[in-house]
Amino acid sequence: MSKIVVNGGKPLSGVVKIHGAKNAVLPILAATVMTGGVHTIQNCPALSDVSTTVEILQELGARVEREGDTLIVDTGGEMQSFIPERLMRKLRSSIIFMGAILARKKEAKISAPGGCELGPRPIDLHIKALRELGAQIEEEHGYLICRAQNLKGTDIHLDIPSVGATENIMLAACAAKGTTVISNAAREPEIEDLANYLNSMGARISGAGTSTIVIEGGSPLSAAEYRVMPDRIVAATYLCAAAATGGSITVTDVCTEHLSAVLAVLSDCGCKIKKEKNKVSLVAPQIIKSPGSIKTMPYPGFPTDAQSLFLAMLAKSDGTTLITETIFESRFKAAGELLRMGAKISVDSRVAVVKGSKKLSGACVTAQDLRGGAALVVAALAAEGRTEINSPEFIYRGYEKLEENLKTLGADIAYEG
Ligand code: EPZ
């Protein structure tokens, strides 16, 4: 059984370059389906979720080649409109292909998506919004049969500022006649990145990054070249690892404004933060202190994807922290594994109380989702002794060269197949 083995207790130090953002590149790759031509997507990380998305593109009829960190995606041939369930189930963002395929083919047959088990992950907002744009969507034998001969722009209000639903609406609305206005849209930077890519293809989208996004549909689209934004959660992961080990690191190729909420809490924990143009340096105290409380919120609030990382980091801290998860129903799975390492965490539904310990000890643990798995790496680096992390495939969904980068920072870590 493959695992990651860590001998912890060493402060991290050095510089690490942050790769392109998983949650930006996945919808951008889906959007290449919307028009024929050769798309060049730069800063594309080698992640298993990206490989799965490439498999879906190839299943639909695209030709994809990788040249270093660039993907060349040729969608000029005859494209299909069906994605088999075995591929849909592999990741959450497969649902974004619905809007992209409808824009190109005016029909789509897909199943419900997969993704990390964070509680129920419905797609009702996606379906409701696409129906408001004029799509006919029938649910048959676990598949969504979609037809959209005449998509028409309209005003759409999202009950929840859903990232995926906002992305799906943007894609479909590009092919709709007239104007679509999304209110209560998600404001995550990845939405802006997708809008920038679509606009580089010839779309007319304004307001991305705010709660109100306007899409002027119907403009002709053509293949484009685009560089994906840096991954803010991967950056947060390395910063948490440095904070947990009393280290001192610099993360480069980042967008510092995307990290504001995370850096504010790290500073409250006693870390010295220095922000420069595209890099952030952090010097941690011997042991971090509790920030008091953390509450996950839609962007620009504290990101839910960083919650598990801070749960692990604060397991070794001076003080008690209250962490409230407002986005997902069940996103404290890592707590059960952290208890094996001596963490003192009690969880009640969407609230976790972390009583900081002076030390953690290595143990045998298992990753159960992407960020929960990364959290176990953070704890293992801070713990004394050896930790084995099973099911590392969850972690490789969103982290490229994790062991290599951590070794550069002085960690004793290795993958064992
Ligand atoms: C995206 O997931 C990200 N994934 C997630 O990152 C991230 O945690 C999440 O946004 C929130 O920021 C990708 O971009 C691939 P949502 P998404 O729709 O789009 C509810 C990671 O670790 N909801 O914003 O699925 C939903 O249940 C992953 O990189 C509905 O009720 O998130 C959740 O409670 C994990 N109905 C809330 O909205 C819907 O139709 C936010 O979900 C859609 C969502």
Coordinates of all heavy atoms in Angstrom, one line a residue, residues 338-391:
L338 N -5.8 13.1 13.4 CA -4.9 14.0 14.2 C -4.9 13.5 15.6 O -3.9 13.6 16.3 CB -5.3 15.4 14.0 CG -5.1 16.1 12.6 CD1 -5.7 17.4 12.5 CD2 -3.6 16.2 12.3
L339 N -6.0 13.0 16.1 CA -6.1 12.5 17.5 C -5.0 11.4 17.7 O -4.4 11.3 18.8 CB -7.5 11.9 17.8 CG -8.6 13.0 17.8 CD1 -9.9 12.3 18.1 CD2 -8.4 14.1 18.9
R340 N -4.8 10.6 16.7 CA -3.8 9.5 16.8 C -2.4 10.1 17.0 O -1.5 9.3 17.4 CB -3.8 8.7 15.5 CG -5.1 7.9 15.2 CD -5.1 7.3 13.8 NE -6.3 6.6 13.5 CZ -6.4 5.2 13.8 NH1 -5.4 4.6 14.3 NH2 -7.5 4.6 13.5
M341 N -2.2 11.3 16.7 CA -0.9 12.0 16.8 C -0.8 12.8 18.1 O 0.2 13.5 18.3 CB -0.6 12.8 15.6 CG -0.6 12.1 14.3 SD -0.5 13.1 12.8 CE 1.2 13.5 12.9
G342 N -1.8 12.6 18.9 CA -1.8 13.3 20.2 C -2.5 14.7 20.2 O -2.5 15.4 21.2
A343 N -3.2 15.0 19.1 CA -3.9 16.3 19.0 C -5.1 16.2 20.0 O -5.6 15.1 20.2 CB -4.4 16.5 17.6
K344 N -5.5 17.3 20.5 CA -6.7 17.4 21.4 C -7.7 18.2 20.7 O -7.7 19.5 20.8 CB -6.3 18.0 22.8 CG -5.2 17.2 23.5 CD -5.0 17.8 24.9 CE -3.9 17.0 25.6 NZ -2.6 17.1 24.9
I345 N -8.6 17.5 19.9 CA -9.6 18.2 19.1 C -11.0 17.6 19.4 O -11.1 16.4 19.4 CB -9.3 18.1 17.6 CG1 -7.9 18.6 17.3 CG2 -10.4 18.7 16.8 CD1 -7.5 18.3 15.8
S346 N -12.0 18.4 19.7 CA -13.3 17.9 19.8 C -14.2 18.5 18.7 O -14.0 19.8 18.5 CB -13.9 18.1 21.2 OG -13.8 19.4 21.5
V347 N -15.0 17.7 18.1 CA -15.8 18.2 16.9 C -17.3 18.0 17.2 O -17.7 17.0 17.7 CB -15.4 17.4 15.6 CG1 -16.4 17.8 14.5 CG2 -14.0 17.7 15.2
D348 N -18.0 19.0 17.0 CA -19.5 18.9 17.1 C -20.1 19.6 15.9 O -20.1 20.8 15.7 CB -20.0 19.6 18.4 CG -21.5 19.5 18.5 OD1 -22.1 18.8 17.6 OD2 -22.1 20.0 19.5
S349 N -20.4 18.7 14.9 CA -21.0 19.1 13.6 C -20.1 20.1 12.9 O -19.1 19.7 12.4 CB -22.4 19.8 13.9 OG -22.9 20.3 12.7
R350 N -20.4 21.4 12.9 CA -19.6 22.3 12.1 C -18.6 23.1 12.9 O -18.0 24.1 12.4 CB -20.5 23.3 11.3 CG -21.3 22.7 10.2 CD -22.1 23.7 9.5 NE -22.9 23.1 8.4 CZ -22.8 23.5 7.1 NH1 -22.0 24.5 6.8 NH2 -23.6 23.0 6.2
V351 N -18.4 22.7 14.2 CA -17.5 23.4 15.1 C -16.4 22.4 15.6 O -16.8 21.3 16.0 CB -18.2 24.1 16.2 CG1 -17.3 24.7 17.2 CG2 -19.2 25.1 15.7
A352 N -15.2 22.9 15.6 CA -14.1 22.1 16.2 C -13.4 22.9 17.2 O -13.1 24.1 17.0 CB -13.1 21.7 15.1
V353 N -13.1 22.3 18.4 CA -12.3 23.0 19.4 C -10.9 22.4 19.5 O -10.9 21.1 19.7 CB -13.0 22.9 20.8 CG1 -12.1 23.6 21.9 CG2 -14.4 23.6 20.7
V354 N -9.9 23.1 19.2 CA -8.5 22.6 19.2 C -7.8 23.1 20.4 O -7.5 24.3 20.5 CB -7.8 23.1 17.9 CG1 -6.4 22.4 17.8 CG2 -8.6 22.8 16.7
K355 N -7.5 22.2 21.3 CA -6.7 22.5 22.5 C -5.2 22.3 22.2 O -4.8 21.1 22.0 CB -7.1 21.7 23.7 CG -6.6 22.2 25.0 CD -7.3 21.4 26.2 CE -6.8 21.8 27.6 NZ -5.3 22.1 27.6
G356 N -4.5 23.3 22.0 CA -3.1 23.2 21.5 C -2.2 22.3 22.4 O -2.3 22.5 23.7
S357 N -1.4 21.4 21.9 CA -0.5 20.6 22.7 C 0.9 21.2 22.4 O 1.2 21.9 21.4 CB -0.4 19.2 22.2 OG -1.7 18.7 22.2
K358 N 1.8 21.0 23.4 CA 3.2 21.4 23.2 C 3.9 20.5 22.2 O 4.8 20.9 21.5 CB 4.0 21.4 24.5 CG 3.6 22.5 25.5 CD 4.2 23.8 25.1 CE 3.7 24.9 26.0 NZ 2.2 25.2 25.9
K359 N 3.4 19.3 22.1 CA 4.0 18.4 21.1 C 3.0 17.4 20.5 O 2.0 17.1 21.1 CB 5.3 17.7 21.7 CG 5.0 16.5 22.5 CD 6.3 15.9 23.0 CE 6.1 14.6 23.7 NZ 5.6 13.5 22.9
L360 N 3.3 17.0 19.3 CA 2.6 15.9 18.6 C 3.5 14.7 18.4 O 4.8 14.9 18.4 CB 2.1 16.4 17.3 CG 1.0 17.5 17.3 CD1 0.8 17.9 15.8 CD2 -0.2 17.1 18.0
S361 N 3.0 13.5 18.3 CA 3.9 12.4 18.1 C 3.5 11.7 16.8 O 2.3 11.5 16.5 CB 3.9 11.4 19.3 OG 2.6 11.1 19.5
G362 N 4.5 11.2 16.1 CA 4.3 10.5 14.8 C 3.4 9.3 15.0 O 3.3 8.7 16.1
A363 N 2.6 9.0 14.0 CA 1.7 7.8 14.1 C 1.3 7.3 12.7 O 1.8 7.9 11.7 CB 0.4 8.2 14.8
C364 N 0.5 6.3 12.6 CA 0.1 5.8 11.3 C -1.3 6.4 11.0 O -2.2 6.1 11.8 CB 0.0 4.3 11.3 SG -0.3 3.6 9.7
V365 N -1.4 7.2 10.0 CA -2.7 7.9 9.7 C -3.1 7.7 8.2 O -2.3 7.2 7.4 CB -2.6 9.4 10.0 CG1 -2.4 9.6 11.5 CG2 -1.4 10.0 9.3
T366 N -4.3 8.0 7.9 CA -4.9 7.8 6.6 C -5.6 9.1 6.0 O -6.4 9.6 6.7 CB -5.8 6.6 6.5 OG1 -5.2 5.5 7.0 CG2 -6.4 6.4 5.1
A367 N -5.2 9.5 4.8 CA -5.9 10.6 4.2 C -7.3 10.2 3.7 O -7.4 9.1 3.2 CB -5.0 11.2 3.0
Q368 N -8.2 11.1 3.9 CA -9.6 10.8 3.5 C -10.1 11.8 2.5 O -11.2 11.6 1.9 CB -10.5 10.7 4.7 CG -10.1 9.6 5.6 CD -10.9 9.6 6.9 OE1 -12.1 9.4 6.9 NE2 -10.2 10.0 8.0
D369 N -9.4 12.9 2.3 CA -9.8 13.9 1.3 C -8.5 14.7 1.0 O -7.5 14.6 1.7 CB -11.0 14.8 1.7 CG -10.8 15.6 2.9 OD1 -9.9 16.5 2.9 OD2 -11.4 15.3 4.0
L370 N -8.6 15.6 0.0 CA -7.4 16.3 -0.5 C -6.8 17.2 0.6 O -5.7 17.0 1.0 CB -7.8 17.1 -1.7 CG -6.9 18.3 -2.1 CD1 -5.5 17.8 -2.4 CD2 -7.5 18.9 -3.4
R371 N -7.6 18.1 1.2 CA -7.0 19.1 2.1 C -6.8 18.4 3.5 O -5.9 18.8 4.2 CB -7.9 20.3 2.2 CG -8.2 21.0 0.9 CD -6.9 21.4 0.1 NE -7.3 21.9 -1.2 CZ -6.5 22.2 -2.2 NH1 -5.2 22.1 -2.0 NH2 -6.9 22.6 -3.4
G372 N -7.6 17.5 3.8 CA -7.4 16.7 5.1 C -6.1 15.9 5.0 O -5.4 15.9 6.0
G373 N -5.8 15.4 3.8 CA -4.6 14.7 3.6 C -3.4 15.6 3.8 O -2.4 15.3 4.4
A374 N -3.5 16.8 3.2 CA -2.4 17.8 3.3 C -2.2 18.2 4.7 O -1.1 18.5 5.2 CB -2.7 19.0 2.4
A375 N -3.3 18.3 5.5 CA -3.3 18.6 6.9 C -2.5 17.6 7.7 O -1.7 17.9 8.6 CB -4.7 18.8 7.5
L376 N -2.6 16.3 7.3 CA -1.8 15.3 8.0 C -0.3 15.4 7.7 O 0.5 15.2 8.6 CB -2.3 13.9 7.5 CG -3.8 13.6 7.8 CD1 -4.1 12.2 7.3 CD2 -4.0 13.7 9.3
V377 N 0.0 15.9 6.5 CA 1.4 16.2 6.2 C 1.9 17.3 7.1 O 3.0 17.2 7.7 CB 1.6 16.5 4.7 CG1 3.1 16.9 4.4 CG2 1.2 15.4 3.8
V378 N 1.1 18.4 7.2 CA 1.5 19.5 8.1 C 1.8 19.0 9.5 O 2.8 19.3 10.1 CB 0.4 20.6 8.1 CG1 0.7 21.6 9.2 CG2 0.4 21.3 6.7
A379 N 0.9 18.2 10.0 CA 1.0 17.7 11.4 C 2.2 16.8 11.5 O 3.0 16.8 12.5 CB -0.2 16.9 11.8
A380 N 2.4 15.9 10.5 CA 3.6 15.0 10.6 C 4.9 15.7 10.6 O 5.9 15.3 11.3 CB 3.5 14.1 9.3
L381 N 5.0 16.8 9.9 CA 6.2 17.6 9.8 C 6.5 18.3 11.2 O 7.7 18.4 11.6 CB 6.1 18.8 8.8 CG 6.1 18.3 7.3 CD1 5.6 19.4 6.4 CD2 7.5 17.8 6.9
A382 N 5.4 18.5 12.0 CA 5.6 19.2 13.3 C 5.7 18.1 14.4 O 6.2 18.4 15.5 CB 4.3 20.0 13.6
A383 N 5.4 16.9 14.1 CA 5.4 15.9 15.1 C 6.8 15.3 15.4 O 7.6 15.3 14.5 CB 4.4 14.7 14.7
E384 N 7.0 14.8 16.6 CA 8.3 14.1 16.8 C 8.1 12.6 16.4 O 7.1 12.0 16.6 CB 8.6 14.1 18.3 CG 9.0 15.5 18.8 CD 9.1 15.7 20.3 OE1 9.2 14.6 21.0 OE2 9.0 16.8 20.8
G385 N 9.2 12.2 15.7 CA 9.2 10.8 15.3 C 8.6 10.6 13.9 O 8.3 11.5 13.1
R386 N 8.2 9.3 13.6 CA 7.8 8.8 12.3 C 6.3 8.8 12.1 O 5.6 8.3 13.0 CB 8.4 7.4 12.0 CG 8.0 6.8 10.8 CD 8.6 5.3 10.7 NE 8.0 4.5 9.7 CZ 8.6 4.3 8.5 NH1 9.8 4.8 8.2 NH2 8.0 3.5 7.6
T387 N 5.9 9.4 11.0 CA 4.5 9.3 10.6 C 4.4 8.6 9.2 O 5.2 8.9 8.4 CB 3.8 10.7 10.6 OG1 3.9 11.3 11.9 CG2 2.3 10.6 10.1
E388 N 3.4 7.7 9.1 CA 3.1 7.1 7.8 C 1.7 7.6 7.4 O 0.7 7.5 8.2 CB 3.1 5.6 7.9 CG 4.4 5.0 8.2 CD 4.4 3.5 8.2 OE1 3.3 2.9 7.9 OE2 5.5 2.9 8.4
I389 N 1.6 8.2 6.2 CA 0.3 8.7 5.7 C -0.2 7.8 4.6 O 0.4 7.9 3.5 CB 0.4 10.2 5.3 CG1 0.9 11.1 6.4 CG2 -0.9 10.7 4.7 CD1 1.3 12.5 6.0
N390 N -1.2 7.0 4.8 CA -1.7 6.2 3.8 C -2.7 6.9 2.9 O -3.1 8.0 3.2 CB -2.4 5.0 4.5 CG -1.4 4.1 5.2 OD1 -0.4 3.6 4.7 ND2 -1.7 3.9 6.5
S391 N -3.1 6.3 1.8 CA -3.9 6.9 0.8 C -3.4 8.3 0.3 O -4.2 9.2 0.2 CB -5.4 7.0 1.3 OG -5.8 5.8 1.7

